[in-house]
Amino acid sequence: MAAQNKNRPSNYVILTLQAIADSETQFGPSGKAWSHVRAFLSQGKNEDDSYKPSIFFEVKAFTKKDAKADMSPVVKALGAVTDRSRFTVKGRLAMTEWNGSDGAKHQQLVIVTNSVDPFSFDGETDSETEELEGEPA
């Protein structure tokens, strides 16, 4: 039986996503930096070559409360993500809910990340990458 990491929460995920906008870095009231970006996970194609629905996420990274530096490395890394770039995140998956101005209940999947890495397909040309790339539904 494989050893389990007891420090990893059950909502821990590792996903490779594609950004749908440039990331933004902001500063909270206490002056701590945080970054966020909207991204999607393609589920690939159906048998008829049409794309399956994509899954959308808000990815966030925060400077830890006890950090002495102005900006943590994960906030800098997420803040460097640009529109249409692929990146791999490790972090906690959550769902946020709110009531809109129209009174409707809204939900959004959020990943609070503790690791951000660029992603590329090893040894593939741009045309091969485009074939694997799914457009957001």
Side-chain angles (χ1 to χ4, degrees):
M1 185 170 172
Q4 293 181 355
N5 183 343
K6 295 183 183 188
N7 295 323
R8 188 173 294 162
S10 61
N11 61 340
Y12 188 83
V13 295
I14 301 172
L15 295 172
T16 297
L17 305 171
Q18 184 171 352
I20 57 173
D22 289 342
S23 63
E24 293 183 34
T25 299
Q26 299 176 339
F27 295 86
S30 67
K32 301 273 186 210
W34 66 285
S35 294
H36 63 102
V37 67
R38 291 274 300 145
F40 75 96
L41 173 67
S42 173
Q43 295 190 79
K45 291 185 176 183
N46 293 308
E47 290 179 15
D48 67 359
D49 241 12
S50 63
Y51 284 101
K52 295 177 183 178
S54 297
I55 303 170
F56 291 85
F57 298 89
E58 179 77 18
V59 183
K60 298 180 179 183
F62 298 94
T63 299
K64 293 183 180 180
K65 291 180 181 177
D66 59 350
K68 302 288 186 218
D70 293 338
M71 195 178 301
S72 70
V74 71
V75 170
K76 287 181 184 177
L78 189 61
V81 171
T82 57
D83 186 23
R84 300 194 55 79
S85 64
R86 289 185 181 88
F87 59 102
T88 301
V89 295
K90 297 177 185 178
R92 294 182 331 271
L93 180 64
M95 175 78 76
T96 59
E97 295 182 353
W98 69 96
N99 290 321
S101 57
D102 58 357
K105 188 177 208 175
H106 299 273
Q107 296 179 327
Q108 181 179 47
L109 288 170
V110 176
I111 299 171
V112 179
T113 184
N114 57 17
S115 173
V116 178
D117 294 303
F119 179 83
S120 65
F121 293 101
D122 295 334
E124 290 185 343
T125 65
D126 288 341
S127 62
E128 289 172 325
T129 300
E130 287 174 10
E131 289 175 19
L132 294 172
E133 186 174 280
E135 288 298 319

